[in-house]
Amino acid sequence: MWTENDKQGFENEENYIRSLKKDDYYHFSYSFEYIAKNYGNDNYDIETTNMEVSVNWSDTQLGYVISFNIPEMYKIDPFQGNGGEMEIYESNIYWRLKSDLESIGIRAEAIANF
């Protein structure tokens, strides 16, 4: 919630958030491992693929919007012990992306959805 103490020289919260904008678009590619075949008893075949992450500035959502996909998702079987795209993002990618965004000066308050 925006308060008088938060102004930091800005007329309102919207102007403050807009001031946090860097570039319009960023793209990241993150490699991760998944279980290709689960034989049981902690015996697995492990493969590697990538998640592609786009970070786009949105004036309508007032911040950066994050979207992601796994081009080779068809290779990842949830029944082998893998999650879907959202679970993979949350468990393998989220913290890496957050760190990468912070390293280029994009703080969490500039993210419309994380």
Side-chain angles (χ1 to χ4, degrees):
M1 186 93 182
W2 185 256
T3 68
E4 287 293 319
N5 295 331
D6 295 326
K7 286 194 175 193
Q8 300 178 32
F10 294 93
E11 182 177 315
N12 56 43
E13 183 178 17
E14 290 81 15
N15 288 344
Y16 170 69
I17 296 296
R18 282 188 183 90
S19 78
L20 301 175
K21 178 182 175 185
K22 305 291 183 198
D23 288 338
D24 288 332
Y25 172 80
Y26 296 91
H27 179 264
F28 301 90
S29 184
Y30 295 101
S31 176
F32 68 93
E33 293 180 339
Y34 66 93
I35 300 170
K37 179 70 176 162
N38 185 345
Y39 299 102
N41 297 324
D42 293 328
N43 188 12
Y44 309 104
D45 287 340
I46 302 295
E47 299 288 332
T48 303
T49 193
N50 293 321
M51 176 175 277
E52 305 300 322
V53 180
S54 296
V55 180
N56 296 291
W57 180 263
S58 170
D59 283 328
T60 58
Q61 293 190 41
L62 194 57
Y64 287 101
V65 176
I66 297 168
S67 58
F68 51 84
N69 76 324
I70 301 170
E72 296 182 323
M73 189 66 194
Y74 64 91
K75 294 181 178 180
I76 301 174
D77 184 352
F79 296 107
Q80 296 297 314
N82 303 294
E85 278 185 335
M86 180 57 80
E87 290 85 7
I88 292 168
Y89 172 77
E90 290 172 346
S91 65
N92 292 291
I93 308 302
Y94 170 82
W95 292 107
R96 293 161 61 189
L97 175 64
K98 186 175 187 286
S99 176
D100 286 343
L101 290 173
E102 287 174 354
S103 75
I104 56 177
I106 298 175
R107 300 186 315 254
E109 59 194 332
I111 306 296
N113 73 334
F114 220 136

